[in-house]
Coordinates of all heavy atoms in Angstrom, one line a residue:
L130 N 170.0 193.9 106.2 CA 170.7 192.6 106.5 C 169.8 191.5 106.9 O 169.9 190.4 106.5 CB 171.7 192.9 107.7 CG 172.7 191.7 108.0 CD1 174.0 192.3 108.5 CD2 172.1 190.8 109.0
A131 N 168.7 191.9 107.7 CA 167.7 190.9 108.1 C 167.0 190.3 106.9 O 166.8 189.1 106.8 CB 166.7 191.5 109.0
Y132 N 166.7 191.1 105.9 CA 166.0 190.6 104.7 C 167.0 189.9 103.7 O 166.7 188.8 103.3 CB 165.4 191.8 103.9 CG 164.9 191.4 102.5 CD1 163.8 190.5 102.4 CD2 165.5 191.9 101.4 CE1 163.4 190.1 101.2 CE2 165.0 191.5 100.1 CZ 164.0 190.6 100.0 OH 163.6 190.3 98.8
A133 N 168.2 190.5 103.5 CA 169.1 189.9 102.5 C 169.7 188.6 102.9 O 170.2 187.9 102.1 CB 170.2 190.9 102.2
T134 N 169.6 188.3 104.2 CA 170.2 187.0 104.7 C 169.2 186.0 105.3 O 169.5 184.9 105.5 CB 171.3 187.3 105.8 OG1 170.6 188.0 106.9 CG2 172.4 188.2 105.3
G135 N 168.0 186.5 105.6 CA 167.0 185.7 106.2 C 167.3 185.4 107.7 O 166.8 184.4 108.2
L136 N 168.2 186.2 108.3 CA 168.5 185.9 109.7 C 167.4 186.2 110.7 O 166.5 187.0 110.4 CB 169.8 186.7 110.1 CG 171.1 186.4 109.5 CD1 172.2 187.2 110.1 CD2 171.4 184.9 109.6
R137 N 167.4 185.5 111.8 CA 166.4 185.8 112.9 C 166.9 187.1 113.6 O 168.0 187.5 113.5 CB 166.4 184.6 113.9 CG 166.0 183.3 113.3 CD 166.1 182.2 114.3 NE 165.7 180.9 113.8 CZ 166.5 180.0 113.1 NH1 167.8 180.4 113.0 NH2 166.0 178.9 112.7
A138 N 165.9 187.7 114.4 CA 166.3 188.9 115.1 C 167.4 188.7 116.0 O 168.4 189.5 116.1 CB 165.0 189.4 115.8
S139 N 167.4 187.6 116.8 CA 168.5 187.3 117.7 C 169.9 187.2 117.0 O 170.9 187.5 117.6 CB 168.2 186.1 118.5 OG 168.1 185.0 117.7
E140 N 169.8 186.7 115.8 CA 171.1 186.5 115.0 C 171.6 187.8 114.5 O 172.8 188.0 114.4 CB 170.8 185.4 113.9 CG 170.5 184.1 114.5 CD 170.0 183.1 113.4 OE1 169.6 183.6 112.3 OE2 170.0 181.9 113.7
V141 N 170.7 188.7 114.0 CA 171.1 190.0 113.5 C 171.8 190.8 114.6 O 172.9 191.3 114.4 CB 169.9 190.7 112.9 CG1 170.3 192.2 112.6 CG2 169.3 190.0 111.7
I142 N 171.2 190.9 115.8 CA 171.7 191.8 116.8 C 173.0 191.2 117.4 O 173.8 192.0 117.9 CB 170.7 192.0 117.9 CG1 170.3 190.7 118.6 CG2 169.4 192.7 117.3 CD1 169.4 190.9 119.8
S143 N 173.2 189.9 117.3 CA 174.4 189.3 117.9 C 175.6 189.3 117.0 O 176.7 188.8 117.4 CB 174.1 187.9 118.3 OG 173.0 187.8 119.3
L144 N 175.5 189.8 115.8 CA 176.6 189.8 114.9 C 177.7 190.7 115.3 O 177.5 191.8 115.8 CB 176.2 190.2 113.5 CG 175.3 189.2 112.7 CD1 174.9 189.9 111.4 CD2 176.1 187.9 112.4
K145 N 179.0 190.2 115.1 CA 180.1 191.0 115.5 C 180.8 191.5 114.2 O 180.5 191.0 113.1 CB 181.2 190.2 116.3 CG 180.7 189.7 117.6 CD 181.8 189.0 118.3 CE 181.3 188.5 119.7 NZ 180.4 187.4 119.6
T147 N 183.7 191.1 113.3 CA 184.6 190.1 112.7 C 183.8 189.0 112.0 O 184.4 188.1 111.4 CB 185.4 189.5 113.8 OG1 184.6 189.1 114.9 CG2 186.4 190.5 114.4
D148 N 182.5 189.0 112.1 CA 181.7 188.0 111.5 C 181.5 188.3 110.0 O 181.0 187.4 109.2 CB 180.3 187.8 112.1 CG 180.4 187.3 113.5 OD1 181.3 186.5 113.8 OD2 179.5 187.6 114.4
I149 N 181.8 189.5 109.6 CA 181.6 189.9 108.2 C 182.9 189.5 107.4 O 183.9 190.2 107.6 CB 181.3 191.4 108.0 CG1 180.1 191.8 109.0 CG2 181.0 191.8 106.6 CD1 178.9 191.1 108.7
D150 N 182.8 188.6 106.6 CA 184.0 188.1 105.8 C 183.9 188.6 104.4 O 183.2 187.9 103.5 CB 184.1 186.6 105.9 CG 185.4 186.0 105.4 OD1 186.0 186.8 104.6 OD2 185.8 184.9 105.7
R153 N 185.5 186.3 101.5 CA 184.8 185.1 101.0 C 183.3 185.4 100.8 O 182.6 184.6 100.3 CB 184.9 184.0 102.1 CG 186.3 183.6 102.4 CD 186.4 182.9 103.8 NE 185.9 181.5 103.7 CZ 185.6 180.9 104.8 NH1 185.7 181.4 106.0 NH2 185.1 179.6 104.7
M154 N 182.9 186.7 101.0 CA 181.6 187.1 100.8 C 180.5 186.3 101.5 O 179.5 185.8 101.0 CB 181.3 187.2 99.3 CG 182.1 188.2 98.6 SD 181.9 189.9 99.2 CE 180.2 190.3 98.8
V155 N 180.8 186.1 102.8 CA 179.8 185.4 103.7 C 179.8 186.1 105.0 O 180.7 186.8 105.4 CB 180.2 183.9 103.9 CG1 180.1 183.1 102.6 CG2 181.6 183.8 104.4
I156 N 178.7 185.8 105.8 CA 178.6 186.2 107.1 C 178.5 185.0 108.0 O 177.7 184.1 107.8 CB 177.3 187.1 107.3 CG1 177.4 188.3 106.4 CG2 177.1 187.5 108.8 CD1 176.1 189.1 106.4
R157 N 179.3 185.0 109.1 CA 179.3 183.9 110.0 C 178.3 184.1 111.1 O 178.3 185.2 111.7 CB 180.7 183.7 110.6 CG 180.8 182.6 111.7 CD 182.2 182.5 112.3 NE 182.3 181.6 113.4 CZ 182.5 180.3 113.3 NH1 182.6 179.8 112.1 NH2 182.5 179.6 114.4
V158 N 177.4 183.2 111.3 CA 176.4 183.2 112.4 C 176.9 182.3 113.5 O 176.9 181.0 113.2 CB 175.0 182.9 111.9 CG1 174.0 183.0 113.0 CG2 174.6 183.8 110.7
E159 N 177.3 182.8 114.6 CA 177.7 181.9 115.7 C 176.6 181.6 116.7 O 175.9 182.5 117.1 CB 178.9 182.6 116.5 CG 180.2 182.7 115.7 CD 181.3 183.2 116.6 OE1 181.1 183.5 117.7 OE2 182.5 183.3 116.1
Q160 N 176.5 180.3 116.9 CA 175.5 179.8 117.9 C 174.1 180.4 117.7 O 173.5 181.1 118.5 CB 176.0 180.1 119.3 CG 177.3 179.4 119.6 CD 177.2 177.9 119.6 OE1 176.6 177.3 120.6 NE2 177.7 177.3 118.6
G161 N 173.6 180.2 116.5 CA 172.2 180.6 116.2 C 171.2 179.7 116.9 O 171.6 179.0 117.9
K162 N 170.0 179.7 116.5 CA 169.0 178.9 117.1 C 169.4 177.4 117.1 O 169.9 176.9 116.1 CB 167.6 179.1 116.4 CG 166.5 178.4 117.1 CD 165.2 178.7 116.5 CE 164.0 178.0 117.2 NZ 162.7 178.3 116.6
G163 N 169.3 176.7 118.2 CA 169.7 175.4 118.3 C 171.2 175.3 118.6 O 171.8 174.2 118.4
K164 N 171.8 176.4 118.9 CA 173.3 176.5 119.2 C 174.1 175.9 118.0 O 175.0 175.1 118.2 CB 173.6 175.7 120.5 CG 172.9 176.3 121.7 CD 173.4 175.6 123.0 CE 172.7 176.2 124.2 NZ 173.0 177.6 124.4
K165 N 173.8 176.4 116.8 CA 174.5 176.0 115.6 C 175.2 177.1 115.0 O 174.6 178.2 114.9 CB 173.5 175.4 114.6 CG 172.8 174.1 115.1 CD 171.8 173.6 114.0 CE 171.1 172.4 114.5 NZ 170.1 171.9 113.5
D166 N 176.4 176.9 114.5 CA 177.1 177.9 113.7 C 176.7 177.6 112.2 O 176.5 176.5 111.8 CB 178.6 177.7 113.9 CG 179.1 178.2 115.2 OD1 178.3 178.8 116.0 OD2 180.2 177.9 115.6
R167 N 176.7 178.7 111.4 CA 176.5 178.5 110.0 C 177.0 179.8 109.3 O 177.3 180.8 109.9 CB 175.0 178.2 109.7 CG 174.1 179.4 109.7 CD 172.7 179.0 109.4 NE 171.7 180.1 109.2 CZ 171.1 180.7 110.2 NH1 171.4 180.4 111.5 NH2 170.3 181.7 109.9
Y168 N 177.1 179.7 108.0 CA 177.4 180.8 107.1 C 176.1 181.2 106.3 O 175.4 180.3 105.9 CB 178.5 180.5 106.2 CG 179.9 180.4 106.8 CD1 180.4 179.2 107.2 CD2 180.6 181.5 107.1 CE1 181.6 179.1 107.8 CE2 181.9 181.4 107.7 CZ 182.4 180.2 108.0 OH 183.6 180.1 108.6
V169 N 176.0 182.5 106.0 CA 175.0 183.0 105.1 C 175.7 183.9 104.1 O 176.7 184.4 104.3 CB 173.8 183.8 105.8 CG1 173.1 182.8 106.8 CG2 174.4 185.0 106.6
M170 N 175.0 184.0 103.0 CA 175.6 184.8 101.9 C 175.6 186.3 102.1 O 174.8 186.8 102.8 CB 174.8 184.5 100.6 CG 173.4 184.9 100.7 SD 172.4 184.2 99.3 CE 170.8 184.8 99.8
L171 N 176.6 186.9 101.6 CA 176.8 188.4 101.7 C 176.9 188.9 100.3 O 177.8 188.7 99.5 CB 178.1 188.7 102.5 CG 178.5 190.1 102.5 CD1 177.5 191.0 103.3 CD2 179.9 190.2 103.2
V232 N 160.4 191.6 112.4 CA 161.7 191.1 111.8 C 161.5 189.8 111.1 O 162.0 189.5 110.1 CB 162.8 191.0 112.9 CG1 164.1 190.5 112.3 CG2 163.0 192.4 113.6
H233 N 160.7 188.9 111.7 CA 160.5 187.6 111.1 C 159.7 187.7 109.8 O 159.8 186.8 109.0 CB 159.7 186.7 112.1 CG 160.3 185.3 112.2 ND1 161.5 185.1 112.7 CD2 159.8 184.1 111.8 CE1 161.8 183.8 112.7 NE2 160.8 183.2 112.1
L235 N 160.5 189.8 107.5 CA 161.6 189.9 106.5 C 162.2 188.5 106.2 O 162.6 188.2 105.1 CB 162.6 190.8 107.0 CG 162.2 192.3 107.3 CD1 163.3 193.1 107.8 CD2 161.6 192.9 106.0
R236 N 162.3 187.7 107.2 CA 162.8 186.3 107.0 C 161.8 185.5 106.2 O 162.3 184.8 105.2 CB 163.0 185.7 108.4 CG 163.5 184.2 108.4 CD 163.8 183.8 109.8 NE 163.9 182.3 110.0 CZ 165.0 181.6 109.8 NH1 166.1 182.3 109.4 NH2 165.1 180.3 110.0
H237 N 160.5 185.6 106.4 CA 159.6 184.9 105.6 C 159.6 185.4 104.2 O 159.5 184.6 103.2 CB 158.2 185.1 106.2 CG 157.9 184.4 107.5 ND1 158.2 183.0 107.6 CD2 157.4 184.8 108.7 CE1 157.9 182.7 108.9 NE2 157.4 183.7 109.5
F239 N 162.1 186.8 102.6 CA 163.4 186.3 102.0 C 163.1 184.9 101.4 O 163.5 184.6 100.2 CB 164.5 186.2 103.1 CG 165.7 185.4 102.7 CD1 166.7 186.0 102.0 CD2 165.9 184.1 103.2 CE1 167.9 185.3 101.7 CE2 167.0 183.4 102.9 CZ 168.0 184.0 102.1
A240 N 162.5 184.0 102.2 CA 162.3 182.6 101.8 C 161.3 182.6 100.6 O 161.5 181.8 99.6 CB 161.9 181.7 102.9
L243 N 162.7 183.7 97.3 CA 163.5 182.7 96.7 C 162.7 181.6 96.1 O 163.0 181.1 95.0 CB 164.4 182.1 97.8 CG 165.6 182.9 98.3 CD1 166.4 182.2 99.3 CD2 166.5 183.3 97.1
R251 N 165.5 172.7 98.9 CA 166.6 172.2 99.8 C 167.6 173.4 100.0 O 168.2 173.5 101.1 CB 167.3 171.0 99.1 CG 168.5 170.6 99.8 CD 168.3 170.1 101.2 NE 169.6 169.7 101.8 CZ 169.8 169.5 103.1 NH1 168.8 169.7 103.9 NH2 171.0 169.2 103.6
V252 N 167.8 174.2 99.0 CA 168.7 175.3 99.2 C 168.2 176.3 100.3 O 169.0 176.7 101.2 CB 168.9 176.0 97.8 CG1 169.7 177.3 98.0 CG2 169.5 175.1 96.8
I253 N 167.0 176.6 100.2 CA 166.4 177.5 101.2 C 166.4 176.9 102.6 O 166.7 177.6 103.6 CB 164.9 177.9 100.8 CG1 164.9 178.4 99.4 CG2 164.3 178.9 101.8 CD1 163.5 178.6 98.9
Q254 N 166.2 175.6 102.7 CA 166.3 174.9 104.0 C 167.6 175.1 104.6 O 167.8 175.4 105.8 CB 165.9 173.5 103.8 CG 166.0 172.7 105.1 CD 165.7 171.2 104.8 OE1 166.1 170.6 103.8 NE2 165.1 170.5 105.8
V255 N 168.7 174.9 103.8 CA 170.0 175.0 104.3 C 170.4 176.5 104.7 O 171.0 176.7 105.7 CB 171.0 174.5 103.3 CG1 172.5 174.8 103.7 CG2 170.8 173.0 103.1
L256 N 170.0 177.4 103.8 CA 170.3 178.8 104.1 C 169.6 179.3 105.4 O 170.2 180.1 106.1 CB 169.9 179.7 102.9 CG 170.7 179.5 101.6 CD1 170.1 180.3 100.5 CD2 172.1 179.9 101.9
L257 N 168.4 178.9 105.6 CA 167.6 179.3 106.8 C 167.9 178.5 108.0 O 167.6 178.9 109.1 CB 166.1 179.3 106.5 CG 165.5 180.2 105.5 CD1 164.1 180.0 105.3 CD2 165.8 181.7 105.8
E258 N 168.4 177.3 107.8 CA 168.7 176.4 108.9 C 167.3 176.1 109.7 O 167.2 176.2 110.9 CB 169.7 176.9 109.9 CG 170.3 175.9 110.9 CD 171.1 174.8 110.1 OE1 171.9 175.2 109.2 OE2 171.0 173.6 110.4
A259 N 166.3 175.9 108.9 CA 165.0 175.7 109.5 C 164.1 175.0 108.5 O 164.5 174.8 107.3 CB 164.3 177.1 109.8
E260 N 162.9 174.6 108.9 CA 162.0 173.8 108.1 C 160.6 174.5 108.0 O 159.6 173.9 107.6 CB 161.8 172.4 108.7 CG 163.1 171.6 108.7 CD 162.9 170.3 109.4 OE1 161.8 170.0 109.9 OE2 163.9 169.5 109.5
T261 N 160.6 175.9 108.3 CA 159.4 176.6 108.2 C 158.8 176.5 106.8 O 157.6 176.2 106.6 CB 159.6 178.1 108.5 OG1 160.2 178.2 109.8 CG2 158.3 178.9 108.5
C263 N 160.4 174.6 104.4 CA 161.0 173.5 103.8 C 160.8 172.2 104.6 O 161.5 172.1 105.7 CB 162.5 173.7 103.6 SG 162.8 175.4 103.0
L273 N 173.0 173.0 96.2 CA 173.2 174.3 96.7 C 173.7 175.3 95.7 O 174.3 174.9 94.7 CB 174.2 174.2 97.9 CG 173.7 173.6 99.2 CD1 174.6 173.8 100.3 CD2 172.3 174.1 99.5
V276 N 176.9 180.1 95.6 CA 177.3 181.2 96.5 C 178.7 180.8 97.0 O 179.2 179.7 96.7 CB 176.3 181.3 97.6 CG1 175.0 181.8 97.1 CG2 176.1 180.0 98.4
S277 N 179.2 181.6 97.9 CA 180.6 181.4 98.4 C 180.7 180.0 99.0 O 179.8 179.5 99.6 CB 181.0 182.5 99.4 OG 180.9 183.7 98.8
S278 N 181.9 179.4 98.9 CA 182.1 178.0 99.2 C 181.7 177.6 100.6 O 181.2 176.5 100.7 CB 183.6 177.7 99.0 OG 184.4 178.5 99.8
P279 N 181.8 178.4 101.7 CA 181.3 177.9 103.0 C 179.8 177.6 103.0 O 179.4 176.8 103.8 CB 181.7 179.1 103.9 CG 182.7 179.8 103.3 CD 182.4 179.7 101.8
V280 N 179.0 178.3 102.1 CA 177.6 178.0 102.1 C 177.3 176.9 101.1 O 176.3 176.2 101.2 CB 176.9 179.3 101.6 CG1 175.4 179.1 101.7 CG2 177.3 180.5 102.6
R281 N 178.2 176.6 100.2 CA 178.0 175.6 99.2 C 178.4 174.2 99.7 O 179.2 174.1 100.6 CB 178.8 175.9 98.0 CG 178.5 175.2 96.7 CD 179.6 175.4 95.7 NE 180.0 176.8 95.6 CZ 181.2 177.2 95.3 NH1 182.1 176.3 95.0 NH2 181.5 178.4 95.3
R282 N 177.8 173.2 99.2 CA 178.1 171.8 99.6 C 178.6 171.1 98.4 O 178.0 171.1 97.3 CB 177.0 171.1 100.3 CG 176.6 171.6 101.6 CD 175.6 170.7 102.3 NE 175.2 171.3 103.6 CZ 174.3 170.7 104.4 NH1 173.7 169.6 104.0 NH2 174.0 171.2 105.5
I290 N 171.5 183.2 93.7 CA 170.5 183.9 94.3 C 170.5 185.4 93.9 O 171.6 186.0 93.9 CB 170.6 183.8 95.9 CG1 170.4 182.4 96.3 CG2 169.7 184.7 96.6 CD1 170.5 182.1 97.8

Side-chain angles (χ1 to χ4, degrees):
L130 189 148
Y132 169 67
T134 60
L136 293 183
R137 302 174 178 89
S139 60
E140 294 169 341
V141 172
I142 63 174
S143 300
L144 287 176
K145 299 183 177 69
T147 53
D148 293 330
I149 310 300
D150 191 338
R153 301 161 75 196
M154 293 303 290
V155 292
I156 299 174
R157 176 181 172 85
V158 181
E159 289 190 357
Q160 299 296 285
K162 187 174 181 179
K164 297 187 181 300
K165 297 179 181 178
D166 292 347
R167 74 181 191 280
Y168 288 98
V169 295
M170 57 194 180
L171 173 62
V232 178
H233 225 65
L235 299 177
R236 178 173 165 86
H237 289 312
F239 167 84
L243 287 180
R251 171 63 183 164
V252 174
I253 304 173
Q254 181 184 31
V255 172
L256 291 174
L257 293 179
E258 197 66 44
E260 298 173 1
T261 303
C263 317
L273 289 192
V276 294
S277 301
S278 57
V280 183
R281 194 191 319 150
R282 290 188 183 178
I290 291 179

